[in-house]
C-alpha cells in the first residue's frame, strides 16, 4: 500500500474533523444567505447551497483527504452494477487502465466514455446512473443498439499528463482492435476533464501526441461529445467572475487541478485542446461533433471561445448552451436537479438521431 493510501494518522483525522467543521459552517451560513442571493447566485436555492459547499470543500480538504473520502471509480462501478442486479463486466487495458461495460456489450454501436473530475476525482456513482439513464431514454425511443465502455484512468497525483490521455487512446484502440467495431459505429464522449480527453483523443488520431503510440482508423468515428469540456486552463473570460457564486467550481480549484495534471509541464494542444492550431482540425476523424455547456458555469467563456473557432473549421458541430445550468450539473448536482437536464436531453437527442 502506497503512503498516499495509508489510513490517516490521529493528527490527520483531527485536521479532517476541523476541516469538516469549516465546511459545515459554510453550509449553515449559505443556507441562510442563499435566500438573498439575487442574480449573482445559482437559480435554484438547493443548487446554490450545494455549489457553495462544494467550492469550500475542495479548497479546505487536502487532496489526499478528498480522495480517501471518495469511492474509487472501479468500486463505484461494481456498486452500481450490484444495485441493478448485474455482474460487473470489466476489461483490463494497456498502461494500467480498465474499461467497464454498461448495457449490452454486443450492441452494434459503442460510446467510449471518459469521466470528469479535474483528472483528480474518481468517476462518481452519478456518472454511471446518468449514463444508464441515457441508455434507458434511448431504448424507450427505439434505439437499443448502443452500449457504453466507461474508462477507469489513473487519477492525479498517482499519474500525470500524458498518462491519462494514453489510457484514453487505449480504450478506443481496444474497441477497434479487440471487439472489431467499425469506427463508423463508435462515439467518444466525456464530461469536463473527460470532455477534454474525448477531444484530445480525436486530435491524436490525425496529429499523434509525440509520447503516445499513433492510432490510425479506416474511416471517421460516428461522433464525439464534449459535455462542458475543460478545453483551456486559462481562466480570464467574463464567465469566471459572472458565475463565481453560481458554479461548483472556482478558479482556485481548477488552477490546483491543472497544475497537478501538468506537473510542471507547459500546456500543449493535447492537454488543452484550445491551444491546437485551428488547421489541425481540418481533417478531423469524426462525422459529427456535439459540445454542451451550462450558462451559469465559470468555464462558459473558454468553451464559447473554443467552439466559435472550432465551428469555422468543423461546421458539422452542434453547440448547446443550457440556461441556468452550472458545471456538469447532471453529475455533480444530480441529487438536486436530477438527470434530465437540458444538456442530458441534448445528448440523448443527438445520439438518437445518429443511431
Amino acid at each position: 500500500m502506497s503512503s498516499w493510501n495509508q489510513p490517516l494518522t490521529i493528527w490527520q483525522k483531527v485536521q479532517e474533523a476541523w476541516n469538516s467543521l469549516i465546511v459545515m459552517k459554510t453550509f449553515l451560513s449559505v443556507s441562510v444567505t442563499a435566500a438573498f442571493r439575487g442574480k449573482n447566485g445559482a437559480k435554484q436555492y438547493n443548487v446554490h447551497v450545494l455549489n457553495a459547499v462544494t467550492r469550500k470543500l475542495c479548497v479546505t480538504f487536502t487532496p489526499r483527504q478528498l480522495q480517501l473520502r471518495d469511492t474509487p471509480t472501479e468500486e463505484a462501478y461494481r456498486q452500481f452494477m450490484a444495485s441493478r442486479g448485474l455482474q460487473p463486466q470489466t476489461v483490463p487495458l494497456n498502461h494500467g487502465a480498465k474499461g467497464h461495460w454498461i448495457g449490452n456489450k454486443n450492441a452494434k454501436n459503442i460510446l467510449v466514455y471518459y469521466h470528469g473530475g479535474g483528472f483528480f476525482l474518481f468517476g462518481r456513482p452519478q456518472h454511471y446512473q446518468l449514463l444508464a439513464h441515457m441508455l434507458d431514454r434511448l431504448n424507450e425511443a427505439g434505439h437499443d443498439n448502443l452500449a457504453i465502455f466507461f474508462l477507469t484512468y489513473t487519477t492525479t497525483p498517482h499519474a500525470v499528463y500524458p498518462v491519462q490521455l494514453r489510457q484514453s487512446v487505449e480504450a478506443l484502440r481496444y474497441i477497434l482492435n479487440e471487439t472489431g467495431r467499425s469506427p463508423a459505429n463508435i462515439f467518444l464522449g466525456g464530461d469536463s476533464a473527460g470532455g477534454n480527453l474525448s477531444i484530445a483523443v480525436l486530435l491524436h488520431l490525425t496529429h499523434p501526441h509525440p509520447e503516445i503510440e499513433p492510432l490510425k482508423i479506416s474511416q471517421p468515428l460516428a461522433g464525439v461529445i464534449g459535455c462542458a469540456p475543460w478545453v483551456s486552463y486559462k481562466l480570464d473570460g467574463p464567465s469566471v467572475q459572472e458565475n463565481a457564486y453560481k458554479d461548483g467550481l472556482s478558479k482556485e480549484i481548477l488552477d490546483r487541478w491543472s497544475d497537478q495534471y501538468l506537473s510542471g509541464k507547459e500546456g500543449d494542444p493535447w492537454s488543452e485542446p484550445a491551444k491546437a492550431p485551428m488547421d489541425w482540425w481540418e481533417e478531423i476523424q469524426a462525422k459529427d461533433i456535439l459540445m454542451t455547456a451550462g450558462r451559469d458555469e465559470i468555464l462558459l467563456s473558454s468553451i464559447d471561445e473554443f467552439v466559435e473557432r472550432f465551428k469555422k473549421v468543423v461546421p458539422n458541430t452542434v453547440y448547446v448552451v443550457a440556461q441556468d445550468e452550472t458545471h456538469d450539473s447532471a453529475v455533480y448536482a444530480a441529487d438536486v436537479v436530477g438527470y434530465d437536464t437540458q444538456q442530458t436531453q441534448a445528448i440523448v437527442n443527438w445520439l438518437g438521431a445518429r443511431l
Side-chain angles (χ1 to χ4, degrees):
M1 180 183 293
S2 69
S3 59
W4 182 275
N5 294 321
Q6 291 285 346
L8 297 176
T9 65
I10 293 177
W11 173 241
Q12 288 169 337
K13 289 180 179 179
V14 170
Q15 290 178 312
E16 185 180 40
W18 178 254
N19 290 340
S20 297
L21 290 175
I22 294 173
V23 173
M24 178 58 68
K25 179 182 177 183
T26 296
F27 168 72
L28 295 173
S29 173
V30 175
S31 295
V32 174
T33 60
F36 312 98
R37 64 193 181 281
K39 293 183 179 180
N40 290 327
K43 183 175 182 180
Q44 293 176 264
Y45 172 89
N46 288 343
V47 172
H48 182 84
V49 174
L50 173 64
N51 286 348
V53 171
T54 298
R55 293 193 303 270
K56 191 66 174 180
L57 185 147
C58 287
V59 299
T60 301
F61 284 87
T62 68
R64 182 164 173 255
Q65 287 171 339
L66 285 172
Q67 276 199 350
L68 290 179
R69 290 166 64 94
D70 214 354
T71 303
T73 305
E74 185 175 4
E75 177 58 27
Y77 170 70
R78 283 197 292 264
Q79 293 176 7
F80 160 74
M81 294 294 279
S83 72
R84 291 196 152 211
L86 301 172
Q87 289 296 316
Q89 299 182 79
T90 295
V91 178
L93 304 173
N94 292 332
H95 304 292
K98 293 183 179 180
H100 312 294
W101 287 103
I102 302 173
N104 178 10
K105 67 178 183 180
N106 296 315
K108 179 180 178 181
N109 302 291
I110 303 298
L111 169 61
V112 180
Y113 196 86
Y114 311 119
H115 72 80
F119 307 105
F120 167 74
L121 299 176
F122 299 123
R124 307 194 65 75
Q126 291 87 345
H127 278 109
Y128 301 114
Q129 297 289 353
L130 170 63
L131 293 170
H133 176 77
M134 288 167 53
L135 285 181
D136 290 343
R137 291 286 306 278
L138 288 166
N139 289 342
E140 291 167 3
H143 305 296
D144 58 355
N145 55 352
L146 178 72
I148 294 169
F149 192 64
F150 189 102
L151 178 69
T152 287
Y153 56 81
T154 308
T155 54
T156 61
H158 312 287
V160 297
Y161 174 74
V163 169
Q164 293 80 2
L165 177 56
R166 180 179 293 113
Q167 293 173 328
S168 298
V169 172
E170 287 306 310
L172 175 57
R173 197 189 310 274
Y174 173 85
I175 295 299
L176 287 165
N177 295 345
E178 301 302 324
T179 75
R181 295 312 200 288
S182 164
N185 297 119
I186 300 173
F187 297 88
L188 300 180
D191 60 285
S192 193
N196 170 305
L197 291 170
S198 67
I199 298 169
V201 171
L202 179 63
L203 183 64
H204 178 75
L205 297 177
T206 53
H207 293 79
H209 188 287
E211 298 178 35
I212 299 175
E213 182 183 352
L215 177 58
K216 295 294 185 181
I217 59 177
S218 57
Q219 57 183 305
L221 299 172
V224 174
I225 302 167
C227 177
W230 191 15
V231 292
S232 174
Y233 306 149
K234 187 174 75 169
L235 297 170
D236 55 3
S239 63
V240 176
Q241 294 299 322
E242 292 170 359
N243 296 330
Y245 297 104
K246 299 177 181 179
D247 205 7
L249 295 176
S250 69
K251 186 178 186 302
E252 182 179 358
I253 295 168
L254 291 174
D255 284 345
R256 179 182 296 180
W257 288 347
S258 61
D259 286 347
Q260 286 179 171
Y261 184 53
L262 293 175
S263 188
K265 300 183 180 73
E266 289 293 324
D268 59 38
W270 299 275
S271 64
E272 296 177 72
K275 287 191 170 185
M278 282 299 108
D279 60 1
W280 280 25
W281 302 107
E282 289 179 352
E283 298 180 358
I284 192 170
Q285 290 293 294
K287 294 179 182 177
D288 295 297
I289 307 293
L290 173 65
M291 304 278 189
T292 71
R295 179 67 68 187
D296 289 349
E297 65 172 291
I298 68 169
L299 291 180
L300 177 63
S301 294
S302 62
I303 299 171
D304 273 349
E305 181 181 345
F306 173 71
V307 174
E308 182 180 358
R309 293 185 295 119
F310 186 83
K311 287 184 72 172
K312 292 177 181 178
V313 183
V314 189
N316 54 329
T317 300
V318 174
Y319 182 39
V320 176
V321 178
Q323 298 299 317
D324 303 317
E325 288 189 12
T326 56
H327 181 70
D328 216 354
S329 59
V331 173
Y332 296 104
D335 293 342
V336 175
V337 303
Y339 298 110
D340 274 320
T341 64
Q342 296 168 59
Q343 292 179 75
T344 299
Q345 187 61 55
I347 294 170
V348 169
N349 290 343
W350 185 87
L351 282 169
R354 289 159 179 80
L355 293 174

